[in-house]
Amino acid sequence: MRAKITYCVTAAVLVVYFVLVGSRGVLLIEHGTALTVTFGVAVLVLPLIGVWFLWKTTQFVARANRLAAELDAEGGLPVDTLVRTAGGRIDRDSADAVFAERRAETEDSPDDWRCWFRLAVAYHDARDTPRARRAMQRAIALRDGKPVRV
C-alpha cells in the first residue's frame, strides 16, 4: 500500500509540474517573437514526453498488478523465503539462490507467463531492475496472447 501511495503522490506532483511547464511554454508562444515561439514549442514537448512516459508506466503497473492478482487467486505467487539483513535488505546470496530456481523453472516452461512473473520478482529481489521489467513485460505479453519480442 505504501508503494501505491508513493506512486500516486509522485504522479500527482508530476502532473502539476507538467501543467506549470506547459503554461510557461504557452506564455512563450504568446509572446510572439521567433525565438520565444521556438522555445515555447520546445518547452511544450517536454511535458508531452513526460505525460506519455507516465501513462506507459501506469499501464505497466496496472497490468503487472492484474497478473499478480490472478496469480494470487491461483495460489501461485512466489513465497518470500529470502534471508534479510538486520536493516531489512535482502541478502544477495539468498536472492541469487532463489533466482537460479526461477530461471530453471522459466527455462523448462518458456511459454508460461506465471514462470516469467516469478522470474521478474526474482530479478527484482536480486536488484536487477531492467531485467525484472523485461521479464514482467514478457509475462504480460504471454498472458495477453501477444507476440513476444526476444
Side-chain angles (χ1 to χ4, degrees):
M1 189 62 174
R2 185 176 185 181
K4 287 182 183 181
I5 292 170
T6 302
Y7 184 81
C8 289
V9 168
T10 303
V13 168
L14 280 172
V15 168
V16 169
Y17 173 75
F18 296 151
V19 169
L20 290 174
V21 170
S23 69
R24 297 297 181 215
V26 170
L27 289 174
L28 284 168
I29 292 170
E30 287 176 348
H31 195 269
T33 67
L35 184 63
T36 59
V37 169
T38 303
F39 279 134
V41 170
V43 166
L44 284 177
V45 168
L46 296 174
L48 292 176
I49 293 170
V51 166
W52 173 82
F53 182 76
L54 184 61
W55 173 249
K56 295 304 278 182
T57 302
T58 303
Q59 281 183 320
F60 174 76
V61 168
R63 289 176 180 148
N65 284 339
R66 187 187 77 223
L67 262 60
E70 188 173 334
L71 203 55
D72 186 31
E74 295 174 358
L77 277 179
V79 177
D80 186 359
T81 58
L82 298 169
V83 177
R84 300 189 186 275
T85 64
R89 294 188 64 105
I90 296 172
D91 178 64
R92 183 68 177 205
D93 293 333
S94 176
D96 289 344
V98 171
F99 173 77
E101 292 173 23
R102 298 295 179 219
R103 184 179 60 203
E105 175 187 31
T106 305
E107 288 170 353
D108 290 342
S109 302
D111 295 329
D112 186 359
W113 68 266
R114 293 162 188 85
C115 294
W116 282 98
F117 182 94
R118 288 188 285 267
L119 181 64
V121 172
Y123 271 127
H124 182 266
D125 291 341
R127 298 185 204 123
D128 192 347
T129 305
R131 287 186 178 143
R133 188 172 181 87
R134 283 194 301 273
M136 187 61 72
Q137 287 169 338
R138 189 174 187 116
I140 291 167
L142 285 169
R143 172 63 183 91
D144 293 343
K146 294 181 180 174
V148 177
R149 289 182 245 155
V150 178

